[in-house]
Amino acid sequence: MKKIITVLIMLIFSALSVFSYGLSICGGGAYAFKCIGFLQALSEEGFCPDEVASTSLGSIAGYFMACGYDMSHVHKLFSKINFTDLFDISLPLNGGFLNSARLGDFIAFSSGCDSYLDMQSALKMAALNMNTLNVEFLDKGDPIKALRASTAMQGHFEPVVINSDFFADAGVKELSIINPQEIFCSDENFLIRLTPSYRDTSDIDFRNIINVIFAAIEAGGINRDLYAADKLSYNEIFDIESSIPIDVKFFSKGLVFYNDGYLAGKKFLNENPDFFERNNIPQKNIQKKTLDIESICTSLRTESYLRPREFYWTVKADIHQENSDKFVRSYIYSEFLNSRIRAGIAYKFNDTLYPYISLQTYYFPLRCLRFTAEYVHNMRYGITLRTYLMEKYKSIVYADLSYTHGIKDDNLFTFGLTFDGMYSYNSANLGPELSLKILSDLNIINGMLSIKNIYGDDYMNLSVSSSYNYKNNFNQIPDILCKYPFIHKISQQYALKIPLIKNLDIDMFQTFLLQDIYGKFYFNWAIDDFILSSFLPSCGLSLFFPFRFAGVSNSFIECGINYRDSFSFFFSLSDYLF
């Protein structure tokens, strides 16, 4: 009798016990968004794993899923932002050409989770320990560091230092998690993996390290012998095949796969209506969290999403323009806490070398403050304080107060007030901007009032700027708009950018990737002191090349011709080339 009672009690407790299940998410480059769509379809029917493990770019999906977010919002977020702004290019002194600290800050801010304790599901992210060449599943310490390490593709990104060891993407060694029983404590385990479609690789240039790395990933995904279902101890494997071959170096291209993955998930559930019963897993009715996309986009514009840094340094170079003067700057760049320091040499075209040092501090001591100080030898020194008075989506207001001491012992005080109503969409800034600037050396006062609006869509945009200037003693007006001395000046500038060629997918210099080429048309005019005879028109044409380094970080080159009284050529580059 006692044995029967004991068995009954065990059966009752077994029935009442919480049944748990885990999910492995494999890597796959740009195909990760197909995985996100598939997970959204499953989660709508109550598929909510208790444990999540992920590798490579699958860790982005795993991170948001473990935090309890609706995966459709994750797709909307990455569709809205300019993904390429989340990486910094540097010389490979730290093991890679790209630093992903901004990506980590962005994930921490948008998810609201920077601790494993904040997550709804247990999360482990695979990373390759470069010191031991072993794959480790990180689930302690800083999860943002673990995410950065898991997505740090070798040859592209700088490895991430965790407890004195260097970690990078584990996908090159273990694209899918092979031994789930060693990773999970769950009763059952599932794997979602992406199988790239076969591509003709006969014409691909494999001197390009990027092509080599991604070809290795695709080969791993296709290799059924290595990742055969009978060799992986999962209750069920979701194989999502990629019907359209794309170049996975362009991560943003993966956005189009979300709907494809979502429909694949719905199809799977329709064809397997007994999925939950067959695997004896509960359908969980859990309210998914949503992302405040407007707040996140606002924080990107104001750089309020940045977290304090550990000490970091590298070497960079850029093209910097002040009025009509252009400088090439090479400098040591370092970060610590909320401060960024640049120290190096500025070379003015057709002139001389200028050693300089600059310091920039974010939200210290108050979150709304930005402080910048700079010293350029034999040129100037100065400080600038920016205060954000309002931070709302498409309604950002900030004030700038600066002091500059020039080489001629002149002092310039500047006060600026700006209303920023712009927003970012598909790498373009759209919307209005209104700014007022007052300049003075305590004797003379100059003023400037400008209104700018950018209209556009996925294919083209038009920028219209109107301004009123009171005097120009401090040379704040572009040369192309200024010919004679004046007291009052009214001017307008138009710039139209249209795509000439789309979807090129051209490798440049084996590293830079060119996808689109744009044409730009400029037209400017100005009138001095309301006298029609002073009407000053000018126009220009240019070609605009947005190069993408390693598929995730932009560098821009523009070359063209202007005409006012005569033709002049111009050539410009983005601020950060390395």
Side-chain angles (χ1 to χ4, degrees):
M1 186 67 180
K2 288 183 179 180
K3 290 184 178 180
I4 294 174
I5 294 174
T6 302
V7 171
L8 288 173
I9 292 173
M10 291 177 64
L11 289 173
I12 292 171
F13 273 98
S14 176
L16 294 176
S17 63
V18 178
F19 192 92
S20 63
Y21 55 97
L23 173 69
S24 296
I25 304 175
C26 80
Y31 298 116
F33 282 103
K34 193 162 187 175
C35 171
I36 290 175
F38 192 91
L39 288 174
Q40 175 63 20
L42 264 62
S43 65
E44 288 177 355
E45 300 301 321
F47 183 81
C48 299
D50 303 279
E51 296 182 87
V52 178
S54 57
T55 63
S56 194
L57 278 176
S59 291
I60 293 179
Y63 198 96
F64 281 101
M65 190 166 196
C67 292
Y69 280 96
D70 187 305
M71 301 306 286
S72 66
H73 278 247
V74 178
H75 173 252
K76 289 178 182 177
L77 177 62
F78 280 97
S79 300
K80 184 74 172 176
I81 67 169
N82 184 5
F83 186 78
T84 62
D85 288 340
L86 301 179
F87 300 91
D88 288 317
I89 302 178
S90 63
L91 294 180
L93 300 177
N94 296 298
F97 290 96
L98 295 166
N99 180 273
S100 62
R102 283 179 176 265
L103 173 65
D105 293 353
F106 171 75
I107 298 291
F109 180 85
S110 57
S111 68
C113 293
D114 57 3
S115 169
Y116 289 102
L117 299 176
D118 297 332
M119 299 179 182
Q120 294 184 3
S121 304
L123 175 65
K124 295 182 179 181
M125 289 172 281
L128 179 67
N129 188 323
M130 304 294 289
N131 295 98
T132 64
L133 297 182
N134 293 322
V135 174
E136 299 182 19
F137 289 85
L138 307 174
D139 61 353
K140 295 180 178 61
D142 184 354
I144 295 299
K145 268 195 169 184
L147 173 68
R148 291 178 54 207
S150 184
T151 56
M153 173 63 64
Q154 295 86 345
H156 294 184
F157 301 99
E158 298 174 355
V160 178
V161 181
I162 301 176
N163 297 327
S164 301
D165 285 335
F166 289 81
F167 288 84
D169 192 337
V172 295
K173 184 174 182 181
E174 191 167 327
L175 186 64
S176 294
I177 296 170
I178 300 173
N179 299 310
Q181 286 75 19
E182 298 178 6
I183 309 303
F184 295 115
C185 299
S186 301
D187 299 297
E188 293 191 0
N189 302 304
F190 301 88
L191 168 66
I192 180 170
R193 64 182 182 182
L194 300 114
T195 303
S197 57
Y198 287 90
R199 289 198 299 157
D200 181 7
T201 61
S202 59
D203 295 330
I204 294 180
D205 186 353
F206 286 106
R207 290 174 298 175
N208 184 341
I209 188 173
I210 300 173
N211 286 336
V212 172
I213 292 172
F214 278 105
I217 293 174
E218 290 188 345
I222 294 171
N223 192 333
R224 295 294 184 181
D225 295 330
L226 181 62
Y227 296 118
D230 59 351
K231 295 183 179 181
L232 300 175
S233 301
Y234 285 94
N235 294 82
E236 192 146 350
I237 296 176
F238 308 116
D239 268 317
I240 309 177
E241 294 192 0
S242 302
S243 56
I244 307 172
I246 68 166
D247 194 336
V248 289
K249 297 192 293 292
F250 293 96
F251 183 80
S252 59
K253 284 190 174 184
L255 292 168
V256 302
F257 281 124
Y258 171 82
N259 290 330
D260 199 19
Y262 181 79
L263 293 175
K266 288 296 186 183
K267 180 181 178 182
F268 170 83
L269 292 171
N270 289 333
E271 295 176 350
N272 298 271
D274 63 338
F275 166 70
F276 289 93
E277 293 180 1
R278 182 174 72 237
N279 291 288
N280 193 31
I281 59 175
Q283 291 176 264
K284 302 176 184 178
N285 185 18
I286 298 175
Q287 182 66 37
K288 292 293 185 179
K289 295 190 290 185
T290 58
L291 292 166
D292 187 349
I293 296 177
E294 291 187 356
S295 176
I296 295 169
C297 290
T298 300
S299 296
L300 283 171
R301 287 197 67 83
T302 62
E303 293 190 300
S304 299
Y305 71 101
L306 300 175
R307 300 196 305 169
R309 297 277 200 268
E310 296 178 350
F311 179 74
Y312 168 82
W313 77 276
T314 186
V315 175
K316 292 189 177 185
D318 65 43
I319 303 295
H320 183 77
Q321 182 165 347
E322 299 172 8
N323 298 327
S324 59
D325 294 327
K326 290 186 178 180
F327 297 82
V328 176
R329 297 190 178 201
S330 299
Y331 54 92
I332 296 175
Y333 171 81
S334 64
E335 302 175 344
F336 184 66
L337 297 178
N338 292 323
S339 297
R340 315 288 186 262
I341 299 175
R342 296 171 176 84
I345 299 293
Y347 171 68
K348 184 178 179 181
F349 286 1
N350 301 318
D351 204 328
T352 187
L353 298 176
Y354 298 93
Y356 78 98
I357 184 170
S358 67
L359 167 70
Q360 188 173 22
T361 300
Y362 293 86
Y363 36 84
F364 179 81
L366 301 177
R367 180 182 177 279
C368 63
L369 298 181
R370 310 286 187 272
F371 175 81
T372 304
E374 182 178 56
Y375 170 78
V376 182
H377 183 63
N378 284 336
M379 285 190 67
R380 67 174 183 280
Y381 60 84
I383 58 173
T384 300
L385 177 66
R386 172 168 292 185
T387 304
Y388 282 92
L389 306 175
M390 181 189 299
E391 295 183 65
K392 293 184 178 180
Y393 183 61
K394 297 195 292 185
S395 297
I396 300 170
V397 179
Y398 59 88
D400 290 323
L401 182 63
S402 65
Y403 164 74
T404 302
H405 180 83
I407 189 173
K408 298 179 181 179
D409 292 329
D410 53 346
N411 299 297
L412 179 62
F413 297 88
T414 304
F415 170 77
L417 185 65
T418 301
F419 168 79
D420 183 356
M422 292 188 181
Y423 62 100
S424 297
Y425 180 72
N426 284 347
S427 304
N429 292 325
L430 307 174
E433 181 182 85
L434 174 64
S435 64
L436 170 67
K437 184 183 288 188
I438 299 173
L439 307 93
S440 176
D441 61 1
L442 300 183
N443 293 312
I444 303 172
I445 294 178
N446 287 184
M448 182 185 303
L449 176 65
S450 63
I451 302 174
K452 181 178 182 179
N453 209 332
I454 302 178
Y455 313 88
D457 53 27
D458 294 352
Y459 296 97
M460 66 177 64
N461 62 63
L462 172 66
S463 171
V464 180
S465 300
S466 303
S467 64
Y468 163 76
N469 295 271
Y470 176 73
K471 298 185 178 179
N472 189 37
N473 301 89
F474 308 110
N475 298 319
Q476 297 293 307
I477 299 177
D479 289 345
I480 201 166
L481 292 177
C482 195
K483 188 174 183 180
Y484 308 107
F486 65 87
I487 297 177
H488 307 282
K489 179 187 288 288
I490 298 174
S491 63
Q492 276 198 325
Q493 296 175 275
Y494 302 87
L496 176 65
K497 185 176 78 171
I498 58 175
L500 300 179
I501 304 177
K502 300 284 288 184
N503 302 317
L504 282 173
D505 294 355
I506 295 176
D507 286 4
M508 302 294 291
F509 312 117
Q510 306 301 317
T511 305
F512 288 89
L513 311 171
L514 180 62
Q515 187 174 4
D516 308 313
I517 298 177
Y518 293 90
K520 297 182 76 173
F521 171 74
Y522 301 91
F523 178 72
N524 315 297
W525 63 264
I527 295 178
D528 297 342
D529 300 320
F530 310 104
I531 301 173
L532 293 179
S533 59
S534 67
F535 180 71
L536 182 66
S538 62
C539 60
L541 291 169
S542 71
L543 292 176
F544 186 75
F545 304 90
F547 288 97
R548 187 166 292 172
F549 180 86
V552 295
S553 189
N554 281 335
S555 296
F556 304 102
I557 294 179
E558 184 178 8
C559 55
I561 185 171
N562 283 321
Y563 178 79
R564 190 175 70 182
D565 296 324
S566 60
F567 287 101
S568 61
F569 295 92
F570 68 91
F571 177 83
S572 62
L573 298 94
S574 64
D575 285 343
Y576 293 98
L577 293 178
F578 305 105

